[in-house]
Amino acid sequence: MDIHYRNEPPQFDGANLQMHFIAEVDGEPLDCAITAEALEDHFGAQSALEGPLREAFQRGQTLIRAVCTRAIEQGAGPVVLHSGRFRSPDVPDVLH
């Protein structure tokens, strides 16, 4: 499975309090998202407003993509990363 992430800024989804980003899986786009709660809990977003969520996403982008890749490899899709996904024991030690 070939997974790459587009170098585009994430899109804010205020209705669902998520930041959306695109993974390309074997050349096909896959909508992925991380919740505001996860960005607040694990990446220091000070609120669920767009600006703080964008900053938190930028800070955590490497780990967010790593966890998303694992979710895709496990067959999840489309992927929504909730806070609990980052509490999993298989999350890289960078976070723990």
Side-chain angles (χ1 to χ4, degrees):
M1 185 177 296
D2 184 33
I3 303 170
H4 296 283
Y5 293 89
R6 294 183 179 172
N7 287 326
E8 301 170 353
Q11 298 299 310
F12 177 64
D13 176 356
N16 294 303
L17 294 176
Q18 297 176 347
M19 295 297 286
H20 287 262
F21 55 102
I22 302 295
E24 299 229 352
V25 181
D26 296 329
E28 296 295 322
L30 176 67
D31 183 48
C32 303
I34 183 169
T35 65
E37 179 184 27
L39 290 166
E40 290 170 327
D41 290 350
H42 302 289
F43 301 101
Q46 296 299 309
S47 74
L49 297 174
E50 182 175 359
L53 294 178
R54 282 191 181 282
E55 292 168 7
F57 184 93
Q58 183 65 33
R59 278 191 302 274
Q61 184 170 303
T62 300
L63 183 58
I64 291 166
R65 288 178 173 181
V67 170
C68 188
T69 295
R70 287 188 181 159
I72 293 167
E73 290 171 344
Q74 294 170 352
V79 174
V80 177
L81 302 173
H82 294 273
S83 191
R85 178 74 77 164
F86 294 90
R87 292 188 188 105
S88 172
D90 67 337
V91 171
D93 288 335
V94 173
L95 189 59
H96 294 282

